[in-house]
Amino acid sequence: MENVNWSDLSFGYMKTDYNVRCCYRNGKWGELEVSSSEIINIHMAATCLHYGQEAFEGLKAFRGKDGKIRVFRMDENAKRMQSSSRGIMMAELPVEIFEEAVRKVVKLNERFIPPYESGSSLYIRPLLIGTGAQVGVKPADEYLFVVFVTPVGPYFKGGFKTSPVCIMRNYDRAAPHGTGTIKVGGNYAASMVAGDKARKGGYAAVLYLDPKEKKYIDECGPANFFGIRGNSYITPASLSILPSITNMSLIQIAQDMGLTVERRPVPIEELSTFDEAAECGTAAVIAPISQIDDLDENKSYVYSKEGNPGPICERLYNKLRGIQYGDEPDVHGWVRIIE
Ligand SMILES: *Cc1c(COP(=O)(O)O)cnc(C)c1O
């Protein structure tokens, strides 16, 4: 592709050649279909529009130094979308169809996969929506699964850097026994007011507390949280956070490096004891935190003054990115090569 500055892409939408679709009707999933249209045509009473029957996923394909295309842990995304489907009563898509759709859409849009040197990647967005018409509050009888892709730039354009986050107790992204553990659009709608307020205050994200007691750390709007203390990787266990595949992978890598992993409720007071703190998710892998400002208590927890990430964050980041791009051995079998 000419005229594309691959290193300068943002995290935004760029039109690609094809998307892949699959419909659920009469109790079963149909064949995968390839479309070159960006438009979906649905009934105005579709449940995704009225009652929030919508779940999505996010994963990436990477071009290696060897020219091969690698997709990271797509089986986990497939299983998580099934869990989201159960959570809001949508039809579950079999893992094999999910993986086949991802392979197909990546292959068909191969010319949009950024070159290795750019540090960019191809973002893959699977989406599942209730398309059947209902006016009463009931699950739809028809569903549409769509996967589209769009090239995205490196998250850290000026190098791996820290950013600040804030705590605001007046906002929750999910309820204590609500939909926090599944990847549904409703959680994102619920986080927009707080997210906007945080950005206007100069913060990269909101760090949410547990919605029931506001005593424990939950996660950031679109990313999990972890702290490093000495030789320990500490990440919250909670009934209202989304199980991040990046976090799951970092936990494994941390153990491989000889760190102790603690996954348990993390009281807010513990923030003052961490040497490093970070957000983690597919978009950035790791977004290290410079400081956490508790805006209600007028308190700050500072981890970095010059914008430099801590040494453990840096090692974890390099290792996981290395596996994704094929520079590091894939000892856990996380990567699928798209032929
Ligand atoms: C998607 C998401 C994450 C990150 O998950 P990954 O699988 O690592 O990309 C974290 N928190 C929330 C709320 C999310 O929706």
Side-chain angles (χ1 to χ4, degrees):
M1 294 244 306
E2 318 88 55
N3 307 329
V4 178
N5 184 349
W6 294 110
S7 326
D8 204 38
L9 295 170
S10 63
F11 191 81
Y13 178 80
M14 177 196 284
K15 184 182 189 310
T16 56
D17 291 335
Y18 300 103
N19 57 84
V20 169
R21 305 173 179 206
C22 189
C23 292
Y24 179 91
R25 250 183 230 120
N26 304 318
K28 56 180 194 294
W29 289 99
E31 295 293 311
L32 283 183
E33 293 163 28
V34 175
S35 170
S36 56
S37 168
E38 294 170 282
I39 306 299
I40 52 182
N41 201 8
I42 56 171
H43 197 288
M44 62 184 171
T47 59
C48 64
L49 300 176
H50 299 261
Y51 303 127
Q53 275 200 305
E54 186 273 353
F56 68 95
E57 277 301 327
L59 63 163
K60 283 176 170 176
F62 305 87
R63 173 90 63 187
K65 227 181 250 170
D66 53 10
K68 289 187 179 153
I69 307 160
R70 291 173 174 78
V71 175
F72 189 70
R73 304 196 82 170
M74 63 173 152
D75 54 324
E76 292 297 337
N77 293 92
K79 286 188 272 176
R80 190 168 67 187
M81 205 178 74
Q82 290 184 328
S83 151
S84 298
S85 299
R86 288 192 293 276
I88 54 172
M89 290 200 77
M90 300 198 291
E92 280 181 53
L93 183 78
V95 171
E96 306 76 62
I97 301 182
F98 184 101
E99 292 195 6
E100 179 59 24
V102 169
R103 279 206 177 79
K104 202 166 198 152
V105 75
V106 169
K107 190 72 196 160
L108 285 168
N109 293 292
E110 193 170 346
R111 70 189 187 101
F112 293 95
I113 307 174
Y116 171 81
E117 294 71 27
S118 65
S120 298
S121 57
L122 187 73
Y123 184 70
I124 306 165
R125 171 52 63 87
L127 176 72
L128 178 60
I129 57 174
T131 48
Q134 291 287 6
V135 174
V137 182
K138 273 190 290 256
D141 51 8
E142 294 186 1
Y143 293 86
L144 172 66
F145 173 64
V146 184
V147 193
F148 69 78
V149 296
T150 193
V152 293
Y155 191 90
F156 299 100
K157 290 210 171 74
F160 192 43
K161 280 279 177 285
T162 60
S163 49
V165 305
C166 66
I167 292 172
M168 296 187 283
R169 284 170 190 68
N170 287 338
Y171 302 93
D172 294 310
R173 58 172 283 282
H177 296 278
T179 53
T181 55
I182 58 175
K183 206 168 177 76
V184 296
N187 296 340
Y188 280 76
S191 74
M192 283 188 187
V193 170
D196 183 65
K197 198 167 170 184
R199 271 187 302 277
K200 284 181 175 145
Y203 299 99
V206 180
L207 178 57
Y208 289 96
L209 301 184
D210 80 277
K212 190 171 180 189
E213 298 184 273
K214 310 270 174 175
K215 280 187 182 163
Y216 302 98
I217 305 297
D218 250 7
E219 66 170 325
C220 293
N224 275 187
F225 174 85
F226 69 84
I228 302 289
R229 183 170 62 233
N231 202 39
S232 297
Y233 179 106
I234 302 159
T235 193
S238 155
L239 291 176
S240 45
I241 66 181
L242 195 278
S244 152
I245 297 162
T246 311
N247 198 7
M248 191 202 304
S249 309
L250 290 171
I251 285 171
Q252 182 64 56
I253 292 171
Q255 284 167 339
D256 296 348
M257 285 177 171
L259 297 177
T260 303
V261 171
E262 299 176 30
R263 202 161 162 268
R264 54 166 172 81
V266 176
I268 183 166
E269 294 77 36
E270 212 174 319
L271 289 177
S272 65
T273 70
F274 292 148
D275 304 319
E276 303 178 33
E279 302 176 61
C280 63
T282 294
V285 175
I286 292 176
I289 297 172
S290 54
Q291 68 183 69
I292 301 170
D293 288 352
D294 184 333
L295 299 181
D296 308 307
E297 310 258 288
N298 217 355
K299 247 192 200 159
S300 290
Y301 305 89
V302 179
Y303 305 103
S304 160
K305 286 209 173 72
E306 292 84 35
N308 298 319
I312 303 215
C313 278
E314 184 131 26
R315 272 175 70 200
L316 290 167
Y317 175 77
N318 289 335
K319 185 81 183 176
L320 184 47
R321 264 179 58 97
I323 296 170
Q324 292 175 333
Y325 280 94
D327 296 331
E328 292 273 349
D330 176 27
V331 296
H332 297 289
W334 288 340
V335 162
R336 291 290 168 269
I337 292 184
I338 308 292
E339 315 265 17

